[in-house]
Each structure stands twice: as C-alpha cells, then as structure tokens.
Amino acid sequence: MASITNKNEIKDSGELDLGRLLGELIDHRKLIISVTSLFTLLALIYALFATPVFQADALVQVEQKQANAILSNLSQLLPDSQPQSAPEIALLQSRMILGKTVDDLNLQTRVEPLYFPLFGKGWARLTKKNAGSLDVVKFYLSGANDEDAPDAEVRVIDKNHYEITVNDNVYKGTVGELLQNNDVIIKVDSINSEAGNEFKLTYYSRYKAIANLQENLSVIDKGKDTGMLTLSLSGYDPVLIQKIVDNIASNYLAQNIARQAAQDAKSLDFLNEQLPKVRSDLDLAESKLNEYRKKSDSVDLTLEAKAVLDQIVNADNQLNELTFRESEISQLYTKEHPTYKALLEKRKTLQDEKNKLNKRVSAMPSTQQEILRLSRDVESGRAVYMQLLNRQQELSIAKSSAIGNVRIIDKAITQTKPIKPKKVVIVLSGILIGIIFSVIIVLLRVFLRRGIESPEQLEEQGINVYASIPVSEEFAHNILKKNKSGTKKNVEYAHFLAVENPADLAIESIRGLRTSLHFAMMEARNNILMISGASPNAGKTFVSSNLAAVISQTGKKVLFIDADMRKGYTHKLFKASNENGLSDYLSGKVELQHIIQKIPVGDFDFIPRGIVPPNPAELLMHRRFGELTNWANEHYDIVIMDTPPVLAVTDAAIIGNYVGTTLLIVRFEQNTVKEIEVSIKRFEQSGVIVKGCILNGVVKKVSSYYGYGYQHYGYSYSDDK
C-alpha cells in the first residue's frame, strides 16, 4: 500500500501538474473566451475610432565641404570622430530653424473642431461628416505662459461672422477684421464651415510650439557618410505636416546659403577696411624710395642686390599668403590640429630664410642697403595690394553666387496610408492580451483555491470518504433557468430529486452511499444516522433527504428528522406541514404521535423542525430528545437526522451523543481540509466519533481527469438492444 501511495505522489508531483493546469484552462474555456472576446472588442473599437496618424518625409543632401584631403581621410579613420551629419541633424532640430517654421506657419495656434468626447472625432470620420475649417492668421490669449495652453471656443454664425468665448466672456467678430480686447487678440481670414459649428482654439507659447515640433520631428542619416538626411514628421493633419516639413527644409537651405554668404561678406568687409591702409602704405614707401634716390643720386641696384631683393619680396609674399590662410584655418581648427601645425612650420621656415637674406643685406654697402630696404618695402607693399585686390574680387563673386552645400533632393510628401493605428496589429494584440489576462485570472483562481477537489485529499489525512456525489444535472439546469428568469426563490427546495429523476447521476451515487452505510452501520450502537457539515450550503439536506428516499425503496422503515430547528426547510421540500414539529415536541406542546408525518412520494416517515425556538440547543439537551431517539431506534430500521453545521452552532455536537453513526458533508471546492479537521476535532471534544465524510457537489472537470483520475460515469437504462 505504501508503494502505491508513493507512486501516486510522484506521479501527481510530476508531469501531471502540467496536465492538470491544461485541464483547468479547458474547464475555464468560457471565461477565457469571454475575456478574450472583451479585449478583442475593445481593441476593435479603438482601431476603428482612433484618429489616424500620418507621416510626411523629405530628403535633404548635405555635400561635404572641400578641405585638406589628408585631413579628411584621417577624420574618417578615427573611431571616435563625430559623423559629418551629426551637426547638421542637430541644426535641423534647433530652435533657430524650427522657430522660423513656427512663425511662418503660425503653429502657436491650433484650430480643432469640437467633437463629442472619446468617440465623437472617430464617429465623424467614419460617417464622413466634415466640420469644415477656420483660417486664423493671428491669435493670442492673455495670461498665456509656458506651463499651460489656454483654450477658446469659436462658434460660426455665418460665412462672415463668428463669436468667440474666452473666460466665460463672449465676443463677436467679423472675418478679415482684427478683434482685440483684454482677453483675446484674433483675426480670422476666412470661414469654410456651416453655421453653428464650433471650433476649439488652443494657444501655445513659442517655446512650447517649438518643443512640440521637436518631439514629433525625426531626422535620420540614411547611411554613414552619405550626407543624405531624411526628415520625418507625424501628425493628424496630412496637409499641415507636409507644409511643415517643406518649410523646415526650405529654412535649413536658406540658413545654409546665408551662412556661406555671411562668411564671404565678413571677409569682404575686412578687405574693404584694409585696402585703403595698404594703398597708403604703398604710396608712402614709393615716395621714400624716390626721395632717397634723388638725394643719393643712385638709380639702379647691383645684380646681387636685385637677386636678394627678389628673394626677400618672394618670402614676404609667401608670408602674407600664409597670414590669409591662417585667418581662414583658425575658424575651423585649433592650433593643435595637424593642418594648423603644418602652416606654422612653413611660416617658421620662411622667416628663417628671410633672416638669412637680411644678414646678406647687412654685408652690403650702406647706400645699397638703404635702397634695397626701400625697394623691398615698395615691392612687398605692391604685392600685398595686388593680393588684396584679387581676393576682394573673388569674395565679391562668391558672395553674389553663394549656393551653400545643402540641396533638397525630395520635397515633402505625405504617405497615403496612416502609420497609426495599425488595425491588424491592434486587434491581434487585443486577442493576445485577452488570452494572457484570462489565463492569469484562471491561474490566480487555481492558486488561490484551497477547497477540496478530490477524495484523495481527505484520505491522505486519514479521513474515510464514503461517497462522492456529483452535481445533479437537473438541479444545475433548474438553477440556471431560475437565474435567467430573474426569480429569487430558493431552488434548493423546489425539487425532490429522488422522486422526480431517480436515474440522475447524483441519485446513483447516493445509492452507492446506501450500500456503504449498510456495512458501516453494522457495528454501530444504534441505527440512527446523523448527517452534518462544516459550513452552511454544503448540501446536508439534499443528501439526507434523498438518502432517506433511496433507503426506503429497499423496503426498510425509515424515519427522517429535520433536527435543524434554526433554518431547516425539508418541510418545503416534501410539501409537508410545519405546524407540529421537533421543537414543539421538545418544548412539551405536543405528543410524539402528533409530529410524525407520512411522505407518500418517498414512502418514509418525517418529523419537521417545527416553529423556530429561541433556545434550540437547550431543547436538544432535554430528556425528551433522548426519549425520542430511543423510541425511533426501536420502531424504525434506520433513522436519519439532518443537523446544522458544527462550526456554526453546537446543535450537531449535542445530537451526536445520541446517534450511532455520524457523517460529515464536504462541499466540493468550498470546504477546505483544515475546516474538516477542525469539525472532526470539535465533534471529538464532545465525545462524538465521526465515521467519515461525503464529498458533495463534485463537478466533472478536465483538470480532475488529468490531476486525480477521478471520474463519474453515467449508466442509464435504455430500450435499445
């Protein structure tokens, strides 16, 4: 026996747990289907009524600026170097660009038709009811700040007139005229809507409008070092978002061209300031040279002096060129940059060469030195002046023909299909969430359920189970029918199952109980059977009454006593009188022969509860009750007593001292093992030994099949052979 028990425990603790879990899901299939259907319906409603979100996109190319080839290659090889597109993406999302778009398109003002909350907008879209439009070119509300967005309501009177409500104040306005007061400043250019339609106007601060645009704008680099940027903007209005994307791209292009022209203009301004100074210095140097020649009567230089002069002038020209380059490079790089370092090294080399030439000049005669110095000033000044003139012309041409390094490849276009909501995904998500949610509910019910689900749970605690009575199909059907009809009448005493449907599975189980009791009561001190329970609604009356009818069918003389003098209802079940009952006999009002009734449909005798007494426990302790039990034991083959629950009142413990056999009714999935143990202990404290239990209301479940292998089989008679 021990080996069998251990084997079952191993089997139950192993793979059958998963099977039982699957069985629980099958048992709760109606719940799962209902919850899943609910979530699917909600998802479907959301998919239909949610406002579609569209997306507009444009393509912009940022050409790489011409720079040092070696430097460019080095930048590409550096792993931590910043991508060339990163600054441009940041520039596109800057307040400088987006702020101009906000100003150009008046995005500080949002005009929306007024709809019924939640479903109004979706219903209008499904019914294709167009509310029209309102062209507001100027709008401002007093008290607007960055924290909140004040609202105003506009009602259309006709094509040329409207009224606006602000702070419970109503103002009338005319199309094309500026309406200005302490609350609002508004100008409506046109009205394209029917009279009576209402619109909601929301005013945002400039910062808030830019922030909203930054939140919805996406700039993505299409590939590394491609210079191709995709501008994407999502919104509810497909026409508006297309205008916004186009405006952002145009503003970005305009600022890029302006930036290029600004650099050239700044350099040109600098040259315009320096040219007069250089020309003045050149004129001064030429006059000094002419004066010295006249003074010293020297006209020409020697061949050596001319060669040195040419070299010195060439060095000065190169140094001047490096000065121009340094001014440009300093705007792009720091002094630690390789390009900047190369320029400084070249300048040092030229300066060293110039110093050597100056030493050669110092070795010449003084007259030649002076003429050479003055000639050098003239030639160097003339070369600088010509360089500045050439640079001035180049910058003038560059400024007038600046095109920047940005161009718009694809203008903005709005996708025909909305990107949100994705109806198929939403519906599938609703189904999936419904399944998950319903499964969680089932699992919680399973894990939180502590009721007894099988006879094995009681037998493991050493408690005998004499029978497992399934739920009557007719009883369950009647309850469902009564509930649907809306009647509140207690259906428990509306039908006597053993008489109305003796072939029911529950009655067949009670017949099995009859057989078990026949042998179990052989060693009892008397033939009195008490049926009690741990808690109310366990089915004591159902089992005891039908058991009495089933035993009487075997020809035995049966007495059924309704010992529940508090809430007993068997007289209603048997359609008998309750005038003279057990309480009346125990109180001495009537004699014994006046309380016994014959139940024709069941062929057994019956003692009702009688009038509800104020002291039922005290009446049960009266000697009359002992006399009643002795008399019933002598005159009947079996006496069945229906008693109140032992955990509720003490009546059952008192009655247990007069009976020979005591059985407890255990409700399937309602009573716990702990409750049954406490009930048995309560009886034992009163000197009553509980013979065993009856598991009532067993529901045929798939989980029970997988978990315990305990099933009820139907076996009925048929005329078919």
Side-chain angles (χ1 to χ4, degrees), residues 457-474:
Q457 292 178 266
L458 294 171
E459 292 174 352
E460 289 176 356
Q461 305 299 323
I463 303 172
N464 295 325
V465 179
Y466 280 84
S468 293
I469 302 174
V471 173
S472 171
E473 295 181 358
E474 183 176 349

Side-chain angles (χ1 to χ4, degrees), residues 538-554:
K540 305 181 302 299
T541 302
F542 171 79
V543 175
S544 58
S545 60
N546 286 282
L547 179 62
V550 169
I551 295 176
S552 67
Q553 293 174 359
T554 61

Side-chain angles (χ1 to χ4, degrees), residues 252-265 402-404:
Y252 175 61
L253 176 61
Q255 72 82 28
N256 184 266
I257 296 174
R259 175 63 177 169
Q260 298 292 336
Q263 292 179 356
D264 296 336
I403 59 173

Side-chain angles (χ1 to χ4, degrees), residues 27 453-456 468 470 505 509 698-714:
D27 291 331
E453 299 178 354
S454 70
E456 286 81 357
S468 293
L505 289 178
S509 299
V698 178
V699 179
K700 188 177 181 180
K701 302 170 65 178
V702 180
S703 59
S704 299
Y705 173 78
Y706 284 109
Y708 302 102
Y710 196 90
Q711 291 290 314
H712 298 279
Y713 299 94

Side-chain angles (χ1 to χ4, degrees), residues 430-446:
I431 296 174
L432 182 61
I433 294 173
I435 294 174
I436 295 174
F437 190 76
S438 59
V439 170
I440 291 174
I441 294 176
V442 172
L443 293 178
L444 288 175
R445 294 182 64 176
V446 171

